[in-house]
Amino acid sequence: SENGNAPREQDGQDDVVGSAAIRPVFLGNLRPEYSSDKIMELFTRPIPPPGASEDTFQPIPVDRIDVKRGFCFVFLKDAASQQDKEQVERFVSDINGMELDQVSNALRAEFARGDGRVKRKEDDRRRNIQPSETLFVVNFHEETTKREDLQMLFEPYGELVRIDMKRNYAFVQFRTIDEATRALHATNGGKLDQNVLNVEYV
């Protein structure tokens, strides 16, 4: 095979992970009762778009699903070929906005942001809990918690670069990894508006 694109597991080699890694898929606007089994089925038995043949999409191997309230991240196994990678990109584009029984009335599907370096960091993080200057904060009260509340919570631990707030989760970026680490140890499992926060490295 050319350029080592054969579907072999070579976890230790950064170049292989860099070329074959697929960014995690963010799925949002999920129904409260959705299950990880239904999400797994969505990828392992892909639904063809209207008017397309049954075999439009081959099964997409899933590594794990990180279930949150109302959304999730789907971590996919490394692609065996460029074709596999392109199929996943088409599939994610096709399911965006789709209505799925017991999953979503209008599914929001997109790739989690990041370049190849970040993808490799994500793989490392899964294996080694690799520290990062950006923290993923989830489980605060989406109606009462404001950006200023998060700023007041995290500011004591270092210089904040950005707070990117979505409905009930946020990305909080510090200037250095040391500052982010200090903040994570101090805030993970703590309370904000009576909600217990879950804070982890991105």
Side-chain angles (χ1 to χ4, degrees), residues 97-157:
M98 190 182 274
E99 182 178 349
L100 292 166
D101 188 38
Q102 296 174 19
V103 175
S104 176
N105 294 334
L107 185 65
R108 184 177 154 213
E110 60 185 77
F111 287 102
R113 290 166 181 78
D115 57 14
R117 183 179 60 80
V118 175
K119 291 198 292 273
R120 281 202 295 279
K121 213 156 85 173
E122 170 56 30
D123 281 346
D124 288 343
R125 184 186 76 80
R126 275 186 272 161
R127 285 193 283 269
N128 308 319
I129 312 295
Q130 186 91 348
S132 154
E133 64 274 7
T134 304
L135 300 177
F136 177 69
V137 184
V138 71
N139 205 35
F140 49 80
H141 198 290
E142 68 178 88
E143 283 165 17
T144 59
T145 303
K146 307 279 187 291
R147 189 180 181 282
E148 292 73 30
D149 298 324
L150 293 179
Q151 189 169 341
M152 282 172 62
L153 178 69
F154 286 102
E155 225 165 19
Y157 307 104

Side-chain angles (χ1 to χ4, degrees), residues 47-91:
I47 303 163
S53 63
E54 284 295 316
D55 59 357
T56 299
F57 293 117
Q58 298 304 307
I60 297 165
V62 173
D63 183 24
R64 70 185 174 93
I65 298 170
D66 197 355
V67 173
K68 308 287 185 186
R69 200 169 58 194
F71 66 98
C72 69
F73 290 98
V74 182
F75 294 87
L76 303 175
K77 293 188 177 171
D78 290 349
S81 67
Q82 186 59 31
Q83 268 179 315
D84 281 6
K85 208 166 178 176
E86 287 168 4
Q87 176 196 246
V88 173
E89 286 168 5
R90 283 201 317 276
F91 177 68

Side-chain angles (χ1 to χ4, degrees), residues 172-188:
V172 177
Q173 184 180 353
F174 284 88
R175 192 174 51 81
T176 68
I177 289 174
D178 283 349
E179 292 171 347
T181 300
R182 210 163 41 233
L184 183 145
H185 290 310
T187 59
N188 186 34

